[in-house]
């Protein structure tokens, strides 16, 4: 029977014995932890409870790590329900850490593959509880083996996802949620925990780590767009230059993979993982492009097929980020399908396409900025204006008014604009995390304390 | 893998029993032991971290000698180390007399073998040593004066309480194994009140968190007594039968109205009424007083005042009721128990000079004369960070001629040494330990050989005694066991002889409750006080300590209500509590713990921070005229305004000990250390 963790929020004191026990049992190096404590309201704002979640892998009934792993490295034990990763099969692409809302899979920088909580399978198999459960000094952690299908998971500070995590919570009891305190500072307190929030926000994806993916996805989008333009117009490209760019992009895309020699495994999960689909479609696009540009030069039907594969690859790229649950990503103006279409229109000087896409992306861009301004502070105004002016307005004007002399400026402008937008796509990508959920729930709780909503605003900044 | 039962000998309430798994002389795994009812869920994170501590690459595995003035150490052989020390010892004895050698031992580890040190120094001809205690003196003495003995109900008995008052105790961090029992009580409908200037992990499940101005708890207690008497919420029968001095007490507390107590303590009057209402109505009541509250200059009287609340409501000697401070029922091997055991002897034996106050260590060491101190031997302690007034302690150490420190790691104190001797861990020599919360006697078993050139202290003393030319027969007679495991076991067997229930073989299997221990303390209503009753009036308190026979409220010496020039310059109370991550200065040097607790920080209320231009997570300086430390500020929206808090135990080399700002000063009774009488100011670091 599927087992799961039981966690009593009332009993946990955040003592971290579970984390240490886990690290010892599984011989984890210092700095690596499969189980960690997250604290709600660490700044002890009056009127709001302070509590902890001891979190590890929840061995979901429908585990996204396993579903989306491109290399089929994950498996779920049919008896215990333990979700485990085979380090021999893992390619170290870290994609599982993006799709897991509970931050369970972690990158082992030595072995360059992912690793995670095993549910102490070695102990379960001999009838012992996982070590975190058996050594919890307060009995807050336990084992649940029934009602997991529709167990209580909707608890404060816990990201509920469609993954059906195998966890049962005992909620914080109302009468024990926080003490009535005699100390001063209970009322009229202006709360500002912005700094606290900064440190508790996990950025699973950051520009500095993923720059190679920014470049790769943009190359793919521009190649697809350019190639499409050659099909619908008289524009031509230098095949050597085109294919060189393709190979360079492909090599860039493998940079962030831990085990490059196993990179081919990334194609295995084509049935379920958008990452696998991308990994299959992009080389296929390159092969088709070779045929189209060199084998049967500019045969229209091959061109259309090639463009189709290219856009399918771009769609896979957008989807593979989309399934992480990051908010607003599916409406982001930096999605590569949009980039590809815009580039196609631009290069083909097709006025309706360029104008339509420019307007659409301007709207999406504005929505994104509005969200950023209201929720997370700095919307980067100067950069945004640059992006809009030289990346959308100038190219659209050049094409619409047929300023062919300035066409090269339009292309350069669009390239810069797309680079900014794509960088922002990665910068703005806030994938749900347990700590992020706690921060959001805390902001809500603070807003609830203060009817004017002023302090909640400050928190989010 | 071999599995052993052992007990954790740290200075900690829980004194856990655990199972350890050993393979090829390496500690592989530590697990809970169901034989100890008080700690059956399993050890805390520190207990688990022994896996690292024992095998840490930073552990000292050879005797070390300081190289000139460089501050660096070089490994030396035992021969060289012992001969160097023996030579010095002979020299100091001849030139200044044996009392020029100062023997300092701390509470780093429990065990019967700890007495070997004193035995050695007697053989040597004598030494100078300390009286008093850093930890719990005032509370022990207040309890002894009031109830006659330091004992309390079994740890699990608190689950039967209907009202629990954690008065200055943060059990969730310092006694985590008490939390399941408190939780059980709450499940059964009990109420929890926490009294603490901080909102702690333990106060999180409380109905009420009372935040008095530090040091003013006595006034709150007396006002509660005032209300209990005024509203006639007393147990008259119990008072008549078992309480001495009630009428004088009642007369005294008449003056401590809730209004006056509120002025003194900053606790709103309504809250005082509320606690008094609960203590008066609910039965049974358990009050668990922590150690922090009794480290003020008025704290013996504070503790007596709180104790009185239980006496007048009849909450003593019953299940679910009583006073939890220290349970010395397992201290069966001590002829004289604490606190009496650490008072200076009435008639000095002329051999061991007990003349240095632990609380005033630095100053007393410097001022010792005839003979002055020339050499120090430190074991089981880290006085440079843990005793008050760090600068003076350092000055005292540095003004000596020669320093020997027995240590596992290069602590701040070990860094001051000329010779560091590598200390064993709890897994490397068998010993018998007691506890002060539960009453189990445990065998702390040797489960592995000491690594490298580590030798247990008893063997160091044995070999040193041999080098000093003392015949082996005399050494053994003076209670220093020989160097083999069999010698040590023979020594322990002799100690266990008077207790047929306690054989080494039996203890190897698991912990055994101390013979004669009571689950419900004082249920026989026998109180070992001069009057045979619970004493609210204590003549001994006056005779021994010069305090009022009644538990009156006296303002602490260092207080914002004392209108001295200092109190104006330093308006913030400096709280220096313990944390789950350490036992005083132990454990935080381990990578596992450091990962969770990387650097010290000061918790400050945002309003107090703002008026000083301090923002969250910026560097600040905490200082007074004694010294200053620089660390990061963290907002704490629930700490009492006017208080700042830094956990104690950080080494100077880790970011600064809090004792740089404390003063060497004794508590009102029992020669305790009043570190918590400390005011500071905080400013932005430049």
């Amino acid at each position: 029977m599927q087992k799961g963790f039981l966690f009593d929020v009332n009993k946990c004191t955040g003592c971290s014995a579970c984390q240490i026990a886990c690290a010892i049992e599984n011989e984890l190096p210092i700095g690596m932890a499969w189980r960690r404590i997250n604290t709600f309201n660490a700044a002890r704002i009056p009127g709001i409870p302070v509590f902890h979640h001891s979190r590890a892998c929840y061995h979901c009934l429908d585990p996204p790590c396993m579903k989306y792993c491109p290399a089929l490295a994950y498996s779920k034990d049919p008896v215990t329900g333990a979700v485990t990763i085979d380090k021999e099969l893992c390619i170290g692409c870290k994609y599982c850490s993006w799709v897991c809302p509970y931050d369970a899979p972690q990158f082992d920088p030595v072995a360059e593959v992912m690793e995670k909580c095993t549910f102490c399978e070695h102990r379960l198999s001999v009838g012992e509880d996982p070590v975190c459960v058996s050594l919890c000094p307060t009995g807050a952690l336990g084992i649940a083996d029934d009602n997991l299908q529709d167990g209580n998971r909707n608890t404060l500070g816990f990201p509920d996802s469609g993954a059906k995590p195998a966890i049962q919570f005992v909620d914080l009891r109302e009468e024990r949620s926080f003490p009535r305190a005699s100390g001063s500072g209970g009322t009229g307190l202006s709360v500002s925990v912005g700094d606290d929030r900064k440190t508790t926000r996990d950025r699973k994806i950051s520009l500095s780590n993923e720059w190679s993916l920014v470049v790769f996805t943009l190359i793919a989008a521009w190649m697809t767009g350019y190639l499409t333009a050659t099909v619908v117009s008289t524009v031509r490209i230098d095949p050597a230059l085109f294919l060189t760019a393709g190979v360079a992009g492909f090599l860039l895309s493998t940079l962030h993979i831990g085990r490059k020699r196993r990179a081919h495994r990334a194609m295995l999960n084509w049935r379920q993982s958008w990452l696998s689909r991308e990994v299959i479609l992009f080389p296929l696009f390159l092969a088709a492009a070779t045929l189209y540009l060199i084998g049967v030069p500019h045969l229209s039907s091959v061109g259309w097929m090639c463009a189709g594969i290219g856009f399918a690859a771009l769609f896979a790229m957008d989807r593979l980020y989309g399934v992480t649950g990051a908010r607003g990503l599916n409406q982001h103006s930096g999605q590569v399908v949009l980039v590809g279409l815009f580039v196609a229109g631009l290069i083909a000087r097709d006025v309706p396409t360029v104008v339509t896409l420019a307007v659409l992306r301007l709207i999406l861009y504005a929505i994104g900025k509005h969200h950023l301004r209201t929720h997370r502070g700095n919307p980067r105004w100067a950069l945004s204006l640059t992006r809009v002016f030289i990346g959308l307005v100038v190219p659209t004007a050049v094409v619409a008014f047929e300023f062919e002399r300035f066409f090269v400026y339009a292309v350069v402008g669009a390239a810069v604009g797309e680079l900014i937008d794509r960088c922002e796509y990665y910068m703005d990508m806030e994938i749900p995390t347990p700590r992020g959920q706690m921060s959001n729930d805390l902001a809500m709780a603070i807003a609830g304390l203060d009817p004017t909503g002023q302090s909640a605003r400050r928190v989010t900044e | 893998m071999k599995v052993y039962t052992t007990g954790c000998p740290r200075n900690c309430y829980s004194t856990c029993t655990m199972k350890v798994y050993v393979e090829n002389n390496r500690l592989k795994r530590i697990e809970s032991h169901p034989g100890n009812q008080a700690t059956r869920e399993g050890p805390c994170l520190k207990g688990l971290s022994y896996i690292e501590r024992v095998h840490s690459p930073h552990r000292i595995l050879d005797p070390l000698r300081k190289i000139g003035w460089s501050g660096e150490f070089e490994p030396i052989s035992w021969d060289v180390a012992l001969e160097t020390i023996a030579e010095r010892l002979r020299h100091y004895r001849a030139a200044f007399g044996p009392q020029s050698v100062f023997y300092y031992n701390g509470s780093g580890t429990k065990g019967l073998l700890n007495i070997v040190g004193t035995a050695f120094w007697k053989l040597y001809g004598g030494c100078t040593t300390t009286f008093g205690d850093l930890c719990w003196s005032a509370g022990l003495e207040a309890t002894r004066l009031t109830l006659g003995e330091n004992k309390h109900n079994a740890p699990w008995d608190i689950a039967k309480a209907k009202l629990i008052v954690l008065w200055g105790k943060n059990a969730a961090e310092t006694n985590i194994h008490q939390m399941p029992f408190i939780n059980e009580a709450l499940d059964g409908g009990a109420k929890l009140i926490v009294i603490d200037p901080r909102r702690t992990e333990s106060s999180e499940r409380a109905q009420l968190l009372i935040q008095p101005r530090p040091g003013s708890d006595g006034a709150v207690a007396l006002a509660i007594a005032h209300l209990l008497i005024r509203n006639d919420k007393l147990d008259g029968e119990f008072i008549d039968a078992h309480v001495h001095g009630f009428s004088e007490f009642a007369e005294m507390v008449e003056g401590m109205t809730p209004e006056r107590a509120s002025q003194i303590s900053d606790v709103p009057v309504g809250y005082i009424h509320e606690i008094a209402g609960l203590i008066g109505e609910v039965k049974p009541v358990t009050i668990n007083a922590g150690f922090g509250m009794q480290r003020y200059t008025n704290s013996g009287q504070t503790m007596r005042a709180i104790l009185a609340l239980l006496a007048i409501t009849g909450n003593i000697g019953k299940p679910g009721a009583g006073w939890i401070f220290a349970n010395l029922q397992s201290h069966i091997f001590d002829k004289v128990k604490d606190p009496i055991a650490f008072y200076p002897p009435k008639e000095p034996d002329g051999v061991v000079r007990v003349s240095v106050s632990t609380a005033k260590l630095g100053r007393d060491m410097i001022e010792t004369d005839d003979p002055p101190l020339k050499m120090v031997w430190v074991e089981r302690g880290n006085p440079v960070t843990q005793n008050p007034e760090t600068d003076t302690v350092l000055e005292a150490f540095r003004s000596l001629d020669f320093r020997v420190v027995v240590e596992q790691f290069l602590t701040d104190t070990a860094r001051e040494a000329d010779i560091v001797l590598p200390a064993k861990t709890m897994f490397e020599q068998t010993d018998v330990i007691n506890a002060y919360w539960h009453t189990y006697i445990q065998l702390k078993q040797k489960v592995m050989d000491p690594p490298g050139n580590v030798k247990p202290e008893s063997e160091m003393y044995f070999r040193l005694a041999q080098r000093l030319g003392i015949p082996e027969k005399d050494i053994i007679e003076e209670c220093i066991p020989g160097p083999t495991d069999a010698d040590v076991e023979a020594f322990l067997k002799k100690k266990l002889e008077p207790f047929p229930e306690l054989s080494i073989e039996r203890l190897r299997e698991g912990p055994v409750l101390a013979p004669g221990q009571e689950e419900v303390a004082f249920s026989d209503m026998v109180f070992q006080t001069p009057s045979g009753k619970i004493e609210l009036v204590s003549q001994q308190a006056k005779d021994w300590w010069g305090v009022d026979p009644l538990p009156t409220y006296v303002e602490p010496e260092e207080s914002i209500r004392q209108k001295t020039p200092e109190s104006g310059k330093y308006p913030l109370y400096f709280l220096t509590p313990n944390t789950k991550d350490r036992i005083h200065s132990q454990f935080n040097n381990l990578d596992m713990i450091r990962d969770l607790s990387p650097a010290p920080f000061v918790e400050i209320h945002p309003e107090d921070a703002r008026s000083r231009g301090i923002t969250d997570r910026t560097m600040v300086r905490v200082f007074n005229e004694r010294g200053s430390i620089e660390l990061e500020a963290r907002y704490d929206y629930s700490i009492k305004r006017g208080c700042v808090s830094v956990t104690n135990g950080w080494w100077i080399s880790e970011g600064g000990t809090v004792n740089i700002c404390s003063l060497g000063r004794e508590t009102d009774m029992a020669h305790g250390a009043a570190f918590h009488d400390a005011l500071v100011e905080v400013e932005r670091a430049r």
Side-chain angles (χ1 to χ4, degrees), chain B residues 140-183:
Chain B
L140 288 179
E141 181 64 1
T143 309
R144 192 189 68 79
L145 291 171
T146 310
L147 300 176
E149 266 177 284
N150 277 281
K151 60 183 182 183
H152 63 66
N153 296 8
W156 42 89
D157 179 79
I158 201 171
K160 298 193 185 115
K162 288 295 170 204
L163 176 64
I164 298 170
V165 184
L166 291 180
W167 203 317
K169 180 175 178 181
N170 181 11
E173 295 210 48
T174 60
N175 187 191
I176 192 168
H177 303 90
Q178 191 179 39
M179 294 309 280
F181 301 124
I182 292 178
N183 212 51

Side-chain angles (χ1 to χ4, degrees), chain B residues 511-639:
Chain B
V512 180
L513 287 171
Q517 67 95 31
E518 301 162 8
E519 286 257 331
V520 177
F522 303 108
S523 57
D524 55 5
M525 296 297 156
V526 172
F527 302 98
Q528 312 270 3
T529 54
S531 64
K533 290 184 171 186
I534 301 172
E535 296 205 344
L536 301 188
V537 172
S538 166
Q539 193 51 43
Q540 213 172 60
K542 182 171 171 39
D543 295 345
W544 288 25
W545 311 109
V547 298
D548 197 292
L550 283 160
T552 49
Y553 179 73
V554 184
E555 192 61 33
E557 284 171 22
E558 194 161 324
S559 148
I560 55 166
R561 284 170 65 92
Q562 301 280 18
K563 295 295 173 207
T564 61
E566 276 71 34
S567 68
K569 264 161 70 188
Y570 306 111
L572 298 171
Y573 281 95
F574 192 35
L575 308 177
T576 55
N578 279 315
T579 146
K580 69 181 176 68
D581 298 320
R582 292 190 290 278
I583 295 288
H584 304 299
S585 66
Q586 298 186 62
F587 291 105
N588 214 125
N589 61 318
L590 305 177
D591 291 340
M592 271 179 198
I593 307 283
R594 185 68 66 86
D595 188 40
L596 298 168
S597 160
F601 53 85
V602 55
E603 290 176 307
I604 184 167
H605 195 284
E607 303 290 331
D608 287 333
R610 238 165 257 163
S611 60
R612 290 169 173 77
I614 292 165
T615 48
D616 197 21
R617 287 169 209 264
T618 55
M619 292 300 284
V620 296
R621 203 166 75 90
V622 176
F623 65 101
N624 58 18
E625 75 272 15
R626 269 109 53 186
S628 79
I629 46 176
E630 276 191 21
L631 27 63
E632 195 185 272
R634 294 247 180 116
Y635 283 176
D636 181 337
Y637 284 82
S638 292
I639 194 170

